[in-house]
Structure formats: structure tokens, C-alpha cells
Amino acid sequence: MLKILSKISFITCIGILSILTAFAIFLPDVYNKIIPYRFYNVLTDSMEPTIGTNSLVLVKALDNSTQIANDDIIAFHANRFGEKIIIMHRFSHTQRNKEGEIVYKTHPEGSDTLDVYETKREDILGVYLCHIPFAGK
């Protein structure tokens, strides 16, 4: 009886993971509404000592009601040397750029120097919740 339950549980888990993977690939908008959390791995030391290199970070996706507080850690898209990358830095404040648009100013951990990126609300992927050291390697 235990073997049968074990097999049923295994098949059920594989089925659920397969369905979620299919949604994530083919229907990402639906997937984002069902599961508003994403994992990212940290490739650099810009957030040390808070988040170490090779950590796996859980981020709650940003929605219209999310308020970002000073010193929150956020994940966002940035254009670095012509390449679109994902960065995770601390939020500092908002300000208006030359065009009058609101931009979110960020900085790496332990630095007062603000990033040069003009991060807009639509560039922000989410807010940091927790991390697992070395699990992103």
C-alpha cells in the first residue's frame, strides 16, 4: 500500500511540475498570476555581505499595489553595455529624469554611490524576500 501511495504522490508531483512548466513557457501571464514569485541566482558580489555570490534569491513579483520602501532590495532589468541584464540592488529613492519620468535610484550593498541606470517601474521585476546561500551555483 505504501509503494502505491508513493508512486501516486510522485506521479502527481511530476504532473503538477509539468503543468506549471508548460504555463511558464507558453502562458507566462497566467503563470505570473498563479505564482507571483521568482528565483534568481546572484552572480556577483555587489550585495555582499547581505546576499553572497551564488545565492539563490526568492523575489515577489511587483504588482500595481506594491510599495517599494527605502532600502528594499529589488530585482530589475538594466541595460549594461548594450546588453539587457537583471540586477539586484538596494532601492534608495525616486526622482524625475530630464523627460519628467519617475526613475528609481538604486545602489549596491555598502555603497553610497548610486547606479547610473534609469530604472523605471516597468523595469522592476520584484522585491527580495529571502535567499539560500550557495544554492544558485
Side-chain angles (χ1 to χ4, degrees), residues 100-113:
E101 302 168 309
I102 295 175
V103 292
Y104 292 72
K105 301 306 287 182
T106 58
H107 61 87
E109 189 73 8
S111 174
D112 293 331
T113 305

Side-chain angles (χ1 to χ4, degrees), residues 70 74 90-95 103-107 114-119:
N70 189 22
I74 60 172
R90 284 205 181 269
F91 170 69
S92 174
H93 64 280
T94 58
Q95 66 184 41
V103 292
Y104 292 72
K105 301 306 287 182
T106 58
H107 61 87
L114 295 175
D115 294 327
V116 296
Y117 313 113
E118 283 210 351
T119 306

Side-chain angles (χ1 to χ4, degrees), residues 76-87 122-123 125:
F76 58 95
H77 285 287
N79 186 338
R80 184 170 181 173
F81 307 117
E83 183 180 346
K84 194 170 188 177
I85 62 171
I86 295 174
I87 297 178
E122 60 267 16
D123 296 326
L125 299 169

